[in-house]
Amino acid sequence: MAVWLTTLAGLHVGSRPLLLAAGTAAVLTSCGALHLVGRLGQPRAATRRYGWIAVAVGLGLVCGAAATTARLAVRDAPPIRALAEQRAPVTADLVVRDDPRPIRSAGRPGMLLVSTELTRLTGPDGRRVRAPVRLLVLATDPAWRGLLPGQRLTADGRLGLPRGGDLTGAVLSTNGPPVRQGASSWAQRAAGTLRAGLQRACAPLPDDPGGLLPGLVVGDTSRLPPAVEEDFQATGMTHLNAVSGSNVAIVVGAVLLLARWARAGPWLAAGLCGVALVGFVILVRPSPSVVRAATMGAIGLAALAAGRPRAALPALAAAITVLVLVDPELAGDPGFALSVLATGGLLLLAPRWRDGLRRRGVPPGVAEALAVPAAAQLACGPVVAGISGTVSLVAVPANLLAVPAIAPATILGVVAATVSPIWPAGAEFAAWLASWPAWWLVVIARHGARLPGGTLPWPGGVPGALLLAGLTVALLVAVRRPLVRRLVAVVGVAAVLGALPVRLVAAGWPPPGWVVVACAVGQGDALVLPVEPGRAVVVDAGPEPGAVDGCLRRLGVREVPLLVISHFHADHVGGVAGVFRGRRVGAVLMPPSAEPVEGRDLVRAAATGGRAALLTTVAGARHPVGGVDLLVLGPPYPLAGTRSDPNNNSLVLRATVAGVRILLPGDAETEEQHAMVARAAPGQLRADVLKVAHHGSAYQDLRFLDEVRPSVALVPVGAGNTYGHPNPGLLTRLTRGGARVLRTDTDGDVAAIRSGDGLAVARRGVLPGRRP
C-alpha cells in the first residue's frame, strides 16, 4: 500500500494527474483508516499490523509529496519562468538526457525533440541563471541528430513555456546547430556505435520487420512504420515496441544459462549477470521501464548471490519506491506504470493461475504460456483502456502467439548490435535471422488488428481506467466462488455471441457511400477517391510513408490506378513510398512545374521502382478512372514571382465521384486562386466538397471561396504545427458560408459521404499515440 501511495503522491502539481493522485490517495487512506477502525476490538497483534500499514501509508504520502515539492520548486524557478513567458532569446548550456527523436506531425519536416538538463542560462541582458531544470529542445538543424546522452553543449534559441503536467521547466526552440563542449562518455559512445550498427544491419530488411527489430531490441522506434505501431496498439502488443523487464530477463537469463553451463558459482554467475545488465541498460538507454527492470534485476541478482532467489516481490516494491522518490516524474509516466503493473501481475496472478491450470490437467508448458500473458494483460488493462479508450479482446491470444518469437528476436538482435562494429556482414546475417521472428510478430499484430470485434470502445481517461480497475477487482474476488465463476463464464460467452454479429454488421471504416477521405497524415495532404472496392485514386502522399500507407490499409486499398501529385513539396510527396508499399500503382500524374527538384526526384524514383508510368498534364485535361472523373482546372498558366511559386503552380483538380463534385486545390495560394477565378467558366469552380488549400492557411482568395461555396470543407493539417494552420478567420468564414468543417488534426481520418440526395460526414478519430 505504501508503495502505491508513494507513486500516487509523486504525481505533479498543476496537472490533472495530481488531482487524481490526491483524490485516490485520500480515498485509499480513508479506506485504510476505516478498515483499521473495523479491526478495533480484535486481537492486539492484528491491530498492530494494521497500524503499521497506516504508518507506511502516511510515510509514503509524506516522502512522495516532499520529493515532488522539491523538484517543483526547481522547475518553477522565477528567473526561468519569466524568460519563458517573454519568449526571450537565450543561450543555454545543456546536457543531453536521451537520444534526439523526430516529431511526427510537427509542422516542419525534420524537426527533432531533444530531452536535456539545463546547467546555465544566459538571458538577453547577459544575466546568467544556474538551475538544474529539465529543458525540451525543438530543433530543426540536422546537426542535432547525432547527439548522445551525456553530451554537453551550448545552443541559442527562444525560450517558451512547456505544456505542463510534468517536470519540464521550459522549451527551447532553435534553428541553429549546437556547439559541442567535449564528448560524451566512452560508454555512451560505444552504445551509440552499437545502436547505429544495429540500424545499419536492419537497413536491407523489409520496412515492417526492419523497423520493429531495433525497437524490440534496444527501444529505437525511429524507423517503425506508424501502421505497425497502430496494429500493435490495437492488439495489446505495444509493450513489445519498448524495452522493459522482459528484455532484461531474456538477456540476463541467457547469460545466467551460459554461466550455469560453465559451472560458475552463485557469486560469479551474479557478477557476470550484473555486467550484462549494466551493459544492456547503457545500450538501450535508461528509460523509465528499463530503469525499473534494471533496479529490480540488480536487487534480484543480489538475492541470487546471497542464496535467496525468491525475493522478486520485495525487489519490485523496493525498485518502485526508490525510483519514484529519486524521480517523481516516473509516477506520471504511462510506460513506467504499465511496466510495474505487468510485473506485478506476473508475480501475483500468473503463478496461481498456472498452478490452477495444472491441477485441471493442463500441461505445464501450456499452463505457463496461458497464465503469463493473461495475467499481464489483466493487470495492464485499466491503464491501456484509459489511454486508448478501447478494450482489446484479442490481446491475450495475440500475446500468447507472440511469446515464442520474442526471445529469439531479442537475442539475435543483441548479437547483431554487438558484432556490428567488427563484422558488418555477420551483423546483417544475425539481423536477417532475427527478422523472421520479428516478421511473425508483425503478422500477428496485423491480423489481430483486423479481426472484427477485436477491440471494443470504452470510456477514456481517468473514469474509464478506474471503472475497468473496479470491475477487474470485483471479478477477481467474485470468481473465487464456483457458482459465480460459472455465471460469469456464461454471461461473458453470451455477451460476446450477442455483440459479435452487431460488430460484424455495423458500419466500420470506411463508412458506406464515401466519396472522398482526407487522411490524417500530419502536416501534409493525402486524399483518397474510391474507384471500386480495393481500388482508389490517391491525390498526394503526405510527409512520410507510414502514415499514408496506414490510411490506405484502413480503407482497404490494394491497388492505385492513378496517383496524383499536386506539387513537389515534402509534405505532399515525402510519403510516396508508402503508396507503393504492397500495392500496384498504375500511373503517376505530375504537375508541369518541377520545383523543388528534390521532391520531383523522389517521386520519379518511387515510380521507377514501382514500374508506374509517369504522366504530366495541363489545365483543361480530363483523366477518367472508372467512376472517378478528374478535370484539371489549374494552374491556368505558369505563375512566377509569387509568395511561393511551387504552391501557386499546384495542380487544381475537380473530381466527380457518384455525382458529388470535389475540388482539390493542393497548396494553391491567393495568386493561383485569383488566376483561376479570372479564367474559369461560370460555375466551373462550384463544388460540394472542398479540400481547403494549403492546410487552411490565411493565403486564400475570398472570391475563390465564394465561387466554390462548399457544403463540406476538409482541412488536412498537422496537430501542433508551427505555422498557425488552420487560420481561425478562414474557418469562421467557411462555417458562416454553410460549410461543415472537418480537420484531420482533431478528427483523424475524415470522409464525405453521399447519403440519399445530400452529403454526410464521418470521422474516424485521432489514433492513440499519434498526437505530439
Side-chain angles (χ1 to χ4, degrees):
M1 180 73 75
V3 169
W4 294 111
L5 289 180
T6 299
T7 304
L8 289 169
L11 296 177
H12 315 310
V13 171
S15 64
R16 291 174 60 190
L18 179 66
L19 299 178
L20 168 64
T24 308
V27 170
L28 291 177
T29 306
S30 301
C31 291
L34 291 173
H35 196 54
L36 181 60
V37 170
R39 290 288 179 173
L40 293 178
Q42 293 194 5
R44 185 173 299 176
T47 303
R48 282 201 302 266
R49 182 176 62 188
Y50 284 96
W52 280 112
I53 291 176
V55 171
V57 168
L59 183 62
L61 286 170
V62 171
C63 292
T68 305
T69 301
R71 299 299 295 269
L72 289 173
V74 176
R75 184 198 71 175
D76 296 331
I80 303 293
R81 179 67 59 170
L83 291 172
E85 290 174 349
Q86 298 168 12
R87 291 195 55 82
V90 297
T91 299
D93 296 331
L94 308 169
V95 179
V96 178
R97 298 179 64 234
D98 202 355
D99 292 277
R101 53 189 178 90
I103 309 177
R104 292 172 183 162
S105 306
R108 293 185 185 177
M111 180 173 284
L112 299 171
L113 179 67
V114 189
S115 178
T116 67
E117 191 85 18
L118 176 68
T119 58
R120 187 175 64 181
L121 193 70
T122 304
D125 57 356
R127 181 185 175 188
R128 295 182 177 180
V129 179
R130 292 183 180 272
V133 176
R134 292 186 180 177
L135 199 72
L136 285 181
V137 179
L138 297 177
T140 56
D141 194 287
W144 288 84
R145 194 175 295 274
L147 296 176
L148 295 174
Q151 173 72 60
R152 293 183 175 273
L153 54 90
T154 301
D156 296 326
R158 284 193 175 274
L159 211 60
L161 292 172
R163 288 191 298 179
D166 56 21
L167 293 180
T168 301
V171 176
L172 182 71
S173 300
T174 176
N175 295 322
V179 179
R180 304 191 185 202
Q181 308 294 340
S184 57
S185 66
W186 67 267
Q188 293 292 356
R189 293 198 302 273
T193 300
L194 296 180
R195 291 167 69 93
L198 178 60
Q199 283 284 9
R200 287 194 299 272
C202 294
L205 302 176
D207 288 343
D208 290 352
L212 174 64
L213 190 58
L216 188 68
V217 177
V218 298
D220 183 359
T221 58
S222 58
R223 284 187 54 210
L224 182 66
V228 176
E229 185 177 358
E230 294 165 15
D231 291 344
F232 271 62
Q233 289 173 345
T235 51
M237 296 169 60
T238 188
H239 59 92
L240 299 179
N241 293 341
V243 178
S244 61
S246 60
N247 303 75
V248 173
I250 290 169
V251 173
V252 174
V255 174
L256 182 60
L257 286 176
L258 291 175
R260 291 286 174 83
W261 176 76
R263 300 181 183 277
W267 282 100
L268 179 59
L272 293 174
C273 290
V275 171
L277 180 63
V278 172
F280 186 67
V281 170
I282 294 174
L283 173 64
V284 303
R285 308 294 192 228
S287 65
S289 59
V290 176
V291 169
R292 193 276 311 156
T295 305
M296 180 179 170
I299 298 173
L301 290 175
L304 174 66
R308 300 179 61 187
R310 301 184 65 181
L313 190 58
L316 175 63
I320 298 169
T321 304
V322 171
L323 290 173
V324 170
L325 290 178
V326 171
D327 186 1
E329 192 170 23
L330 293 180
D333 185 274
F336 181 76
L338 290 173
S339 179
V340 169
L341 289 171
T343 306
L346 297 182
L347 295 177
L348 297 175
L349 299 177
R352 297 181 183 181
W353 293 358
R354 176 200 60 201
D355 296 341
L357 290 171
R358 292 181 64 179
R359 286 194 299 270
R360 289 166 174 78
V362 179
V366 176
E368 185 102 19
L370 289 172
V372 167
Q377 184 61 35
L378 188 71
C380 295
V383 174
V384 174
I387 295 172
S388 64
T390 60
V391 173
S392 176
L393 301 182
V394 300
V396 172
N399 281 278
L400 177 62
L401 292 172
V403 166
I406 298 172
T410 301
I411 293 173
L412 288 169
V414 171
V415 170
T418 304
V419 304
S420 61
I422 56 176
W423 190 17
E428 289 189 7
F429 179 69
W432 178 78
L433 291 176
S435 71
W436 288 100
W439 169 82
W440 173 242
L441 297 175
V442 172
V443 169
I444 294 171
R446 180 177 300 160
H447 289 281
R450 281 154 182 71
L451 285 176
T455 58
L456 296 177
W458 191 264
V462 174
L466 293 178
L467 175 61
L468 186 57
L471 291 176
T472 301
V473 172
L475 183 64
L476 289 175
V477 173
V479 296
R480 299 179 67 179
R481 298 179 179 274
L483 179 61
V484 176
R485 188 162 55 241
R486 295 190 187 99
L487 181 62
V488 169
V490 171
V491 172
V493 171
V496 170
L497 293 178
L500 189 58
V502 177
R503 297 278 293 175
L504 290 172
V505 174
W509 192 262
W514 66 286
V515 294
V516 60
V517 164
C519 297
V521 294
Q523 183 70 6
D525 274 19
L527 285 296
V528 187
L529 307 168
V531 176
E532 60 186 42
R535 302 177 74 235
V537 172
V538 178
V539 181
D540 288 326
E544 57 96 14
V548 66
D549 176 43
C551 180
L552 294 177
R553 288 171 59 190
R554 294 190 290 271
L555 294 170
V557 175
R558 298 181 299 274
E559 182 180 349
V560 179
L562 183 65
L563 168 62
V564 181
I565 301 297
S566 67
H567 65 296
F568 294 113
H569 274 157
D571 56 340
H572 291 249
V573 302
V576 66
V579 180
F580 283 83
R581 187 179 294 166
R583 298 177 190 85
R584 179 182 174 274
V585 179
V588 179
L589 184 67
M590 303 189 300
S593 172
E595 294 181 1
V597 175
E598 297 82 2
R600 181 201 62 187
D601 293 343
L602 182 65
V603 172
R604 285 184 173 178
T608 301
R611 299 180 180 179
L614 286 170
L615 308 175
T616 57
T617 189
V618 294
R622 243 190 174 88
H623 299 274
V625 182
V628 178
D629 181 63
L630 295 176
L631 173 64
V632 181
L633 300 180
Y637 50 85
L639 283 89
T642 67
R643 199 192 73 88
S644 172
D645 287 350
N647 284 349
N648 282 305
N649 284 283
S650 293
L651 282 182
V652 178
L653 306 173
R654 192 189 70 197
T656 305
V657 181
V660 178
R661 282 187 168 193
I662 305 158
L663 193 64
L664 306 171
D667 275 0
E669 296 183 350
T670 308
E671 294 91 339
E672 185 177 4
Q673 294 178 16
H674 179 77
M676 284 191 297
V677 170
R679 294 290 185 95
Q684 192 176 45
L685 296 177
R686 176 76 178 92
D688 305 295
V689 180
L690 170 66
K691 193 287 298 184
V692 179
H694 199 189
H695 323 296
S697 78
Y699 300 104
Q700 310 284 336
D701 185 272
L702 300 183
R703 289 183 57 202
F704 175 80
L705 297 176
D706 291 339
E707 288 289 330
V708 179
R709 287 181 291 121
S711 300
V712 175
L714 307 179
V715 188
V717 62
N721 71 85
T722 59
Y723 302 106
H725 297 164
N727 178 264
L730 172 64
L731 299 184
T732 300
R733 183 179 180 86
L734 289 168
T735 303
R736 287 178 178 174
R740 181 77 177 274
V741 179
L742 289 87
R743 303 164 43 171
T744 59
D745 59 339
T746 57
D747 300 321
D749 296 343
V750 292
I753 308 164
R754 178 166 183 174
S755 177
D757 295 331
L759 281 176
V761 296
R763 307 174 177 86
R764 185 172 185 269
V766 177
L767 297 174
R770 291 296 300 275
R771 301 190 71 171

